[in-house]
Amino acid sequence: MTGTDVETATACDWTVSGMDCGSCATKIKDAVGRLPGVSGVEVGIMSERLRLTLDEAQTGRDKVEKTVRALGYGIAPRAAAAKNEFVMPGGPKAGTAATRDESGHGSPSHVHDDPADRGKRWYQTGKGKLVIFTALLLAVAWGIELLAPQFGKWAFVAACLIGVAPVAQRAFAALRLGQPFTIESLMTVAAIGALFIDAAEEAALVVFLFAVGEVLEGVAAGKARDGIRALANLVPKTASLELNGVTKEVPAASLRVGQFVLVRPGDRVPADGEIAKGTSGIDESPVTGESMPKTRGPGDPVFAGSINTEAVLRVMVTKAAEDNTIARIIRLVEEAEEARAPTERFIDRFSRWYMPAIVTVAALVVLVPPLAFAQPWDTWIYRGLALLLIGCPCALVISVPASIASALSTGARRGLLMKGGAVIEAASKVSRIAFDKTGTLTHGRPMVTDIVTFGATTEAELLAVAAGVETGSSHPLAIAILNKATEAGVAALPSRDARALMGKGVIATVGDAAAWVTSPRHAMENGGLDDPGLRQATVFEEEGKTAVAVFREKTPLGLIAMRDEPRKDAAEAVRQLKDMGVAPVILTGDNPRTAAAIAGGLGMEFQADMMPEDKLTAIRDMSEHGGVMMIGDGINDAPALKQADVGVAMGSGTDVALETADAAILRDRVIDIPAMIRLARAAMANVRQNVAIALGLKAVFLVTTILGITGLWIAILADTGATVLVTLNALRLLAFKPEREA
């Protein structure tokens, strides 16, 4: 595109229905990508989404829609973005006119892709009706064959031609769009070719089996999408909005930040929010997978989709519908399709030359034996046509994305979020895990255990200065100091210009002079701690506590010691990781003695006193010996998270946890780390099984077809069967329980 083009280009988004396998997505992407003014085409099979950048001065949106419909798929604008609503594929925004041509009339070749088919039984859908129609044609032809044999052949010819007509129409549309090698074109050539070699009955049967295969593929693909769609149904459609003391029912999607809603016992929370009044048990299992309800009260956050179990709550909305946790999880799962696994990218490249190669082999099978060895033409034309049907790469192309989509859906239901196939593949190869300590292996909520003052400083004065420095900070150690000051009834001194000293502590102007709250080592280097003070800090650290020094310019004020206990499931998680052959290590900025106390109890190695750049170097060193996963909080450990093969943020649905790292653990449970690796390994094992099924079946039937053992109808069964088998195998991941040890 030129600079002018970029200025006039618009990001466009559609819902596309009728895609059952990877070749469908490839067809659409290639056809639309050829249009002038189109760039950045992205097609998601499981999310049924088409996104692209369009210069409408060169190509209008109607031209894009017409191109997609010509290929036999339904398309409608994805209205969610325009209305600030979050709409899943298959929702009412999909549009009922998606399968009409530009004249407004339905086309026989498109009717089976109507978005309105969703939710219906298979025989009520357009594809199902086509199966029933071709079955009736076949039955009538067999009846005529039985009652009037002389007309039997022509009855089968008619059944074949009528049944293959919509397929041929799609094949011709694809051909006009520059795609000669599609399953529709191979199917059309095989069916018509069979008529010319007097195999009309088999040609009609093949057309029927092809229609059956499309129904089975559609059903299987729909099942794979159901797991993602189910997430959207977690958020209630209505909410009890409180306005001027009056409560009224409104659409949940219309809620805005700052409004208040009432959530009664048994109701789902309609939006991400903060409890303003009331205390109740909140069941977060629909969002995070956490089985036990948690008591929440004023000031505590709640997720959209979680269930209020005990008392009426007044909740202030903190996020609009399009930004709530469920919406962001679904968006993450949808967008994860774009982060394709290396295996998937390889198979996509492979399939692009695989189809032409099969057509070439089929042509050689047809021509070489008759021309070189005087073999009968009919026999080898028949075998060549069968090879064309076997050559469809649908099963191979869908083998990876179906498994990845199922794994993403399974993980999302359990609070294990991974951003695409590339992350899943990398996680499956992890051999080392680096843990941040505070807030990851520990609760991240340390409590003050000891206060030591120096000189004439009193305990209250020490807390007032320390609290002044830490005011406004969300760091766990800062919160512990602020909580202690509040508990002791000490007011923080006024402060300003606070700034973090990366990996060392915090400095701020408290009163009229600078004050520091830092590590003992940094304080010692800057005159904020003397030798007796350092010895006392060492004693605290040997007890597994974290000590910070509080000082003014060259004037030590005192020490504050805190302790943060390991999470209850940390030891079990470490044991599981070791059993899986994964070596865990702690990388922490804390002192060596505190780190040793935590690591010793968990049976882990550790590296302490680490600055952010030290963690980065450690990750690089570990990467030389295999895949590395880094577990952190998504902010302080950002460089290490990005450097690792897989960066995982722990946090209960925060923006940072969902958006900064490659993956996120929503339940704040360390035991979910081995579960995530287990799920990734199961997904990649499923991928390998699918590739073996797809290529193995084709290899077997390719040989048997050339030898004349199998014919046309077996060939189409092999193709359809392989596609259905790999999809059903991928669906097994929806029932996979990653928390269970093998």
Side-chain angles (χ1 to χ4, degrees):
M1 280 190 175
T2 65
T4 306
D5 291 334
V6 173
E7 292 172 9
T8 59
T10 307
C12 301
D13 207 347
W14 287 273
T15 293
V16 177
S17 59
M19 294 188 293
D20 299 331
C21 69
S23 62
C24 297
T26 301
K27 250 194 302 189
I28 293 171
K29 187 173 183 178
D30 289 349
V32 172
R34 286 190 173 93
L35 297 174
V38 171
S39 63
V41 182
E42 298 169 359
V43 181
I45 308 168
M46 293 301 147
S47 57
E48 298 183 289
R49 191 171 197 167
L50 167 63
R51 285 191 292 188
L52 51 83
T53 301
L54 180 65
D55 180 3
E56 296 190 63
Q58 299 184 58
T59 298
R61 297 183 187 223
D62 57 335
K63 178 65 174 176
V64 174
E65 294 177 4
K66 182 179 178 183
T67 300
V68 174
R69 291 190 190 115
L71 293 171
Y73 302 97
I75 182 170
R78 207 172 180 95
K83 299 190 177 183
N84 283 329
E85 298 173 3
F86 191 81
V87 181
M88 279 300 292
K93 307 291 183 204
T96 55
T99 58
R100 293 176 185 163
D101 57 30
E102 56 275 19
S103 65
H105 300 290
S107 166
S109 67
H110 306 148
V111 67
H112 60 287
D113 293 311
D114 194 337
D117 284 345
R118 295 188 186 92
K120 294 182 178 179
R121 296 186 179 276
W122 71 268
Y123 53 80
Q124 296 173 315
T125 65
K127 287 184 177 182
K129 290 173 182 175
L130 185 62
V131 167
I132 294 170
F133 179 60
T134 53
L136 289 175
L137 287 175
L138 201 55
V140 168
W142 271 322
I144 293 174
E145 171 79 13
L146 185 64
L147 300 174
Q150 65 274 27
F151 299 111
K153 171 187 172 182
W154 301 109
F156 283 116
V157 169
C160 174
L161 292 176
I162 295 171
V164 85
V167 180
Q169 187 172 344
R170 281 183 280 159
F172 182 66
L175 182 63
R176 283 191 296 113
L177 294 170
Q179 299 180 37
F181 302 113
T182 63
I183 180 57
E184 289 84 5
S185 62
L186 299 188
M187 178 66 216
T188 303
V189 170
I192 302 301
L195 295 181
F196 280 100
I197 59 172
D198 208 21
E201 181 176 356
E202 202 164 1
L205 181 60
V206 164
V207 171
F208 167 69
L209 290 174
F210 180 76
V212 170
E214 285 205 315
V215 168
L216 291 176
E217 289 174 8
V219 170
K223 289 286 185 185
R225 294 183 184 112
D226 284 346
I228 300 174
R229 287 197 189 117
L231 291 170
N233 296 328
L234 293 176
V235 181
K237 300 294 181 285
T238 61
S240 298
L241 178 65
E242 187 182 85
L243 283 174
N244 302 319
V246 179
T247 303
K248 67 173 183 176
E249 291 291 312
V250 299
S254 70
L255 294 175
R256 292 292 174 260
V257 174
Q259 293 181 325
F260 290 87
V261 294
L262 289 183
V263 185
R264 298 176 179 84
D267 287 352
R268 289 184 184 271
V269 179
D272 279 12
E274 182 179 291
I275 296 175
K277 185 178 180 181
T279 300
S280 180
I282 301 295
D283 178 4
E284 297 177 346
S285 59
V287 185
T288 67
E290 180 59 64
S291 57
M292 295 297 293
K294 295 182 178 179
T295 300
R296 294 280 191 261
D300 289 334
V302 287
F303 300 136
S306 56
I307 302 168
N308 178 18
T309 62
E310 296 169 6
V312 176
L313 295 175
R314 185 170 184 257
V315 177
M316 182 181 73
V317 178
T318 56
K319 286 182 182 161
E322 67 271 17
D323 292 323
N324 70 42
T325 301
I326 296 291
R328 285 184 290 121
I329 290 173
I330 296 170
R331 205 152 49 230
L332 185 148
V333 173
E334 280 191 344
E335 291 169 357
E337 284 194 81
E338 299 163 22
R340 299 192 303 166
T343 301
E344 184 178 357
R345 291 197 296 270
F346 168 75
I347 286 178
D348 187 45
R349 292 194 301 270
F350 174 76
S351 65
R352 288 181 180 274
W353 61 260
Y354 166 81
M355 184 88 89
I358 284 291
V359 171
T360 302
V361 171
L364 292 175
V365 166
V366 169
L367 297 172
V368 172
L371 293 176
F373 305 104
Q375 295 289 310
W377 281 97
D378 284 3
T379 298
W380 291 97
I381 289 175
Y382 180 90
R383 294 179 185 179
L385 295 176
L387 269 184
L388 287 181
L389 295 181
I390 291 171
C392 174
C394 283
L396 184 61
V397 175
I398 196 66
S399 59
V400 180
S403 298
I404 297 299
S406 293
L408 290 171
S409 178
T410 295
R413 293 201 310 272
R414 290 169 169 80
L416 311 175
L417 303 182
M418 290 180 278
K419 295 183 178 179
V423 175
I424 289 178
E425 186 161 345
S428 71
K429 298 175 181 176
V430 163
S431 61
R432 293 166 179 262
I433 290 189
F435 285 95
D436 175 46
K437 181 178 70 69
T438 304
T440 303
L441 286 172
T442 63
H443 289 285
R445 294 189 297 273
M447 298 178 64
V448 173
T449 58
D450 303 271
I451 297 177
V452 176
T453 60
F454 301 142
T457 306
T458 66
E459 192 170 297
E461 289 172 343
L462 178 67
L463 281 174
V465 172
V469 173
E470 299 288 14
T471 295
S473 173
S474 60
H475 192 280
L477 297 181
I479 292 172
I481 292 172
L482 292 169
N483 287 342
K484 182 63 177 178
T486 302
E487 182 185 309
V490 175
L493 291 174
S495 63
R496 65 182 189 276
D497 302 330
R499 60 186 176 88
L501 305 170
M502 288 295 288
K504 299 171 184 175
V506 184
I507 180 176
T509 301
V510 179
D512 56 0
W516 288 261
V517 177
T518 72
S519 67
R521 185 174 69 174
H522 180 75
M524 188 73 180
E525 293 170 353
N526 291 272
L529 196 64
D530 55 18
D531 289 335
L534 184 61
R535 285 194 293 272
Q536 181 59 61
T538 302
V539 171
F540 287 142
E541 291 171 357
E542 286 173 346
E543 295 171 352
K545 300 172 183 176
T546 298
V548 295
V550 183
F551 62 98
R552 296 276 194 177
E553 185 72 43
K554 305 295 183 182
T555 307
L557 300 179
L559 290 170
I560 299 177
M562 292 158 278
R563 178 152 45 204
D564 183 16
E565 298 298 326
R567 297 179 187 272
K568 290 182 179 179
D569 65 341
E572 174 61 16
V574 170
R575 181 195 66 77
Q576 290 189 19
L577 288 170
K578 289 181 176 179
D579 289 347
M580 295 166 66
V582 179
V585 62
I586 296 175
L587 302 182
T588 179
D590 214 336
N591 65 83
R593 296 175 186 85
T594 301
I598 297 293
L602 298 177
M604 299 174 64
E605 296 179 1
F606 71 92
Q607 296 181 45
D609 274 339
M610 302 193 81
M611 302 292 286
E613 57 268 27
D614 297 328
K615 291 184 180 182
L616 194 65
T617 302
I619 293 291
R620 284 178 181 154
D621 292 342
M622 285 191 282
S623 296
E624 296 176 2
H625 306 285
V628 178
M629 179 180 282
M630 173 70 192
I631 320 295
D633 63 9
I635 303 174
N636 300 334
D637 300 303
L641 286 169
K642 290 298 180 186
Q643 179 64 40
D645 295 284
V646 182
V648 180
M650 290 188 74
S652 302
T654 63
D655 290 332
V656 168
L658 285 173
E659 293 167 14
T660 58
D662 301 311
I665 301 291
L666 295 189
R667 292 189 289 193
D668 281 337
R669 302 196 326 178
V670 186
I671 206 163
D672 280 346
I673 300 299
M676 177 177 281
I677 295 174
R678 216 172 274 125
L679 176 60
R681 289 180 178 180
M684 294 314 298
N686 194 276
V687 165
R688 289 189 291 272
Q689 292 163 9
N690 278 351
V691 172
I693 290 170
L695 291 180
L697 278 177
K698 290 189 181 298
V700 168
F701 284 102
L702 186 144
V703 173
T704 57
T705 298
I706 292 176
L707 295 177
I709 299 171
T710 52
L712 284 174
W713 68 276
I714 293 291
I716 195 66
L717 271 183
D719 170 60
T720 299
T723 303
V724 172
L725 276 177
V726 298
T727 307
L728 292 178
N729 187 48
L731 292 179
R732 291 192 305 112
L733 286 171
L734 294 175
F736 182 73
K737 293 180 170 48
E739 60 274 7
R740 290 184 182 176
E741 293 185 69

